[in-house]
């Protein structure tokens, strides 16, 4: 029994030794709360693009508490995150197996700078992604007739965190989510995107 306890403690110590804390900071842009609160999700993937865990998600998107939404919910709100996390956007869907884990990282949309920390393994490379969307975000191209409730699609930011990461890095705007929410693909950033590109000013990762 004592030997088992020692082995467990050794494993915990080893995991702590090779873990490092990183801090993620999201600076609101001009359109963060211009019309209505944006939906947001930040998550980690391995370097091969496999989903690992959610670091932050807005409560409305996680709880699927949409006003007057259809039974399929609002998958177009954060389509890349919903698909990556295998999280059923339908209002009638039963809680996912990772529901308790999500409860720890869920909150209402912050009015000021959003900042939180997480642990990663020091000897592994990761990809961190972030997705943002504001409903009814229409412009001359994305109109009520062709884009439904969504308006402009969600915008995706991404950056690789190399093994042994130190210092700081900034996530780059890399594309948009599906306008309909039918898939989790990241589409090339369209020139027609206007205000959606100003929801966020800056996203940094620091060790």
């Amino acid at each position: 029994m004592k030997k088992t306890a020692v082995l467990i403690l050794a494993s915990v110590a080893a995991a702590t030794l090779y873990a490092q804390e990183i801090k993620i900071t999201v600076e609101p842009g001009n359109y963060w709360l211009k019309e209505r609160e944006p939906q947001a999700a930040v998550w980690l993937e391995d370097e091969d693009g496999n989903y690992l865990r959610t670091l932050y998600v807005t409560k409305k998107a996680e709880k699927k508490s949409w006003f007057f939404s259809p039974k399929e919910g609002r998958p177009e709100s954060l389509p890349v995150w919903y698909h990556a996390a295998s999280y059923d956007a339908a209002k009638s869907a039963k809680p996912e197996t990772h529901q308790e884990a999500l409860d720890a990282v869920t909150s209402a949309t912050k009015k000021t700078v959003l900042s939180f920390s997480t642990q990663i393994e020091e000897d592994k490379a990761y990809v961190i992604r972030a997705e943002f969307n504001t409903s009814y975000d229409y412009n001359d191209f994305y109109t009520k007739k062709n884009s439904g409730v969504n308006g402009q699609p969600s915008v995706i930011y991404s950056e690789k965190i190399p093994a042994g990461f130190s210092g700081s890095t900034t996530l780059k705007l890399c594309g948009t989510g599906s306008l309909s929410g039918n898939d989790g693909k990241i589409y090339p950033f369209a020139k027609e995107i206007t205000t959606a590109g100003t929801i966020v000013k800056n996203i940094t990762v620091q060790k």
Side-chain angles (χ1 to χ4, degrees), residues 115-184:
S115 183
F116 53 91
S117 299
T118 191
Q119 295 279 335
I120 61 172
E121 293 185 46
E122 190 170 13
D123 59 346
K124 289 186 178 181
Y126 296 85
V127 174
I128 183 167
R129 297 195 191 278
E131 183 172 24
F132 304 89
N133 193 10
T134 300
S135 300
Y136 310 106
D137 189 7
Y138 303 116
N139 61 19
D140 291 339
F141 184 85
Y142 294 99
T143 67
K144 291 182 180 180
K145 290 184 177 180
N146 66 27
S147 58
V149 174
N150 215 33
Q152 297 171 65
S154 64
V155 289
I156 314 300
Y157 294 76
S158 182
E159 184 59 35
K160 183 176 180 179
I161 302 176
F165 170 75
S166 63
S168 66
T169 188
T170 301
L171 273 66
K172 299 176 180 62
L173 183 59
C174 64
T176 68
S178 165
L179 187 61
S180 66
N182 288 337
D183 61 57

Side-chain angles (χ1 to χ4, degrees), residues 8-186:
I8 292 174
L9 289 173
S11 297
V12 172
T16 303
L17 180 64
Y18 293 105
Q20 63 174 337
E21 183 176 273
I22 57 172
K23 181 180 180 182
I24 299 95
T25 302
V26 179
E27 296 180 62
N30 293 333
Y31 208 70
W32 182 259
L33 286 174
K34 195 72 172 181
E35 297 294 333
R36 49 186 52 82
E37 62 183 29
Q39 300 309 310
V42 183
W43 68 98
L44 277 181
E45 297 178 358
D46 64 22
E47 58 184 331
D48 295 319
N50 300 304
Y51 170 84
L52 296 176
R53 67 181 185 272
T54 297
L55 306 180
Y56 173 85
V57 62
T58 42
K59 185 179 295 184
K60 183 172 289 187
E62 187 268 324
K63 299 296 183 184
K64 298 170 283 190
S65 56
W66 312 109
F67 295 114
F68 309 113
S69 67
K71 62 181 180 179
E72 62 268 22
R74 290 285 316 286
E76 74 278 10
S77 61
L78 297 172
V80 179
W81 175 75
Y82 274 125
H83 282 81
S86 299
Y87 197 84
D88 195 334
K91 294 175 70 176
S92 59
K94 294 181 179 180
E96 304 292 329
T97 55
H98 55 287
Q99 180 74 45
E100 292 183 3
L102 280 179
D103 286 341
V105 297
T106 304
S107 77
T109 303
K110 303 294 185 183
K111 295 183 178 180
T112 57
V113 173
L114 169 64
S115 183
F116 53 91
S117 299
T118 191
Q119 295 279 335
I120 61 172
E121 293 185 46
E122 190 170 13
D123 59 346
K124 289 186 178 181
Y126 296 85
V127 174
I128 183 167
R129 297 195 191 278
E131 183 172 24
F132 304 89
N133 193 10
T134 300
S135 300
Y136 310 106
D137 189 7
Y138 303 116
N139 61 19
D140 291 339
F141 184 85
Y142 294 99
T143 67
K144 291 182 180 180
K145 290 184 177 180
N146 66 27
S147 58
V149 174
N150 215 33
Q152 297 171 65
S154 64
V155 289
I156 314 300
Y157 294 76
S158 182
E159 184 59 35
K160 183 176 180 179
I161 302 176
F165 170 75
S166 63
S168 66
T169 188
T170 301
L171 273 66
K172 299 176 180 62
L173 183 59
C174 64
T176 68
S178 165
L179 187 61
S180 66
N182 288 337
D183 61 57
K185 298 177 182 178
I186 298 176

